Amino acid sequence: MTTYRIGEAAELLGVSVDTVRRWIDGGRLAAERDDHGHRTISGVDLARFAKSLADDPDEDAGRSSARNRLRGIVTAVTRDSVMAQVDIQAGPFRVVSLMSREAVDDLGLEVGSTAVAVIKSTTVVVERAR
């Protein structure tokens, strides 16, 4: 069975190590001690917990049929006269969006502001991590 250390779980969930520790200490996420005394999380438990987080999305999620929502911080905004590129760092993921300059201005997006990337796609390619 696949197991994950706390740091690996935090990276996969896009949260801090301290957040995972609080979830474990609070009983929200199950963990066991390995032979060296380190806490580990079973892959099955981590997958179930990750799904439960996705099943309880942001309160704004009800306005859209898109289920993939990545909350992050805006790290770059590049504008020209018509279009803009917005870079968001959402946990370990960098999301780049091309949108109208007007939309960027209306949303007030600037470096350092928080944003939610809402992703809706008809195709998702999954590759095994090495």
Side-chain angles (χ1 to χ4, degrees):
M1 174 186 0
T2 302
T3 60
Y4 295 93
R5 302 269 303 262
I6 290 176
E8 294 171 317
E11 182 180 346
L12 289 169
L13 296 172
V15 298
S16 71
V17 170
D18 287 337
T19 297
V20 174
R21 284 190 183 116
R22 280 193 298 276
W23 286 337
I24 291 169
D25 293 343
R28 287 187 64 193
L29 180 59
E32 297 182 5
R33 299 264 180 196
D34 66 11
D35 295 337
H36 303 287
H38 299 122
R39 290 190 282 189
T40 61
I41 303 158
S42 80
V44 171
D45 288 340
L46 186 59
R48 186 178 303 118
F49 185 76
K51 184 167 178 358
S52 76
L53 292 177
D55 289 342
D56 186 24
D58 294 341
E59 62 276 358
D60 294 337
R63 297 186 213 163
S64 172
S65 63
R67 299 191 62 150
N68 301 305
R69 304 174 63 80
L70 302 174
R71 183 178 176 88
I73 186 166
V74 175
T75 58
V77 178
T78 306
R79 294 175 171 92
D80 68 15
S81 59
V82 177
M83 296 298 292
Q85 175 180 315
V86 178
D87 292 34
I88 301 170
Q89 191 66 39
F93 306 106
R94 176 177 173 245
V95 179
V96 178
S97 178
L98 301 176
M99 62 182 75
S100 71
R101 179 189 176 124
E102 180 181 8
V104 171
D105 293 342
D106 287 349
L107 291 170
L109 296 177
E110 59 187 30
V111 172
S113 61
T114 56
V116 177
V118 180
I119 303 163
K120 184 162 182 161
S121 176
T122 57
T123 303
V124 175
V125 176
V126 177
E127 298 176 342
R128 183 169 174 86
R130 297 174 200 247

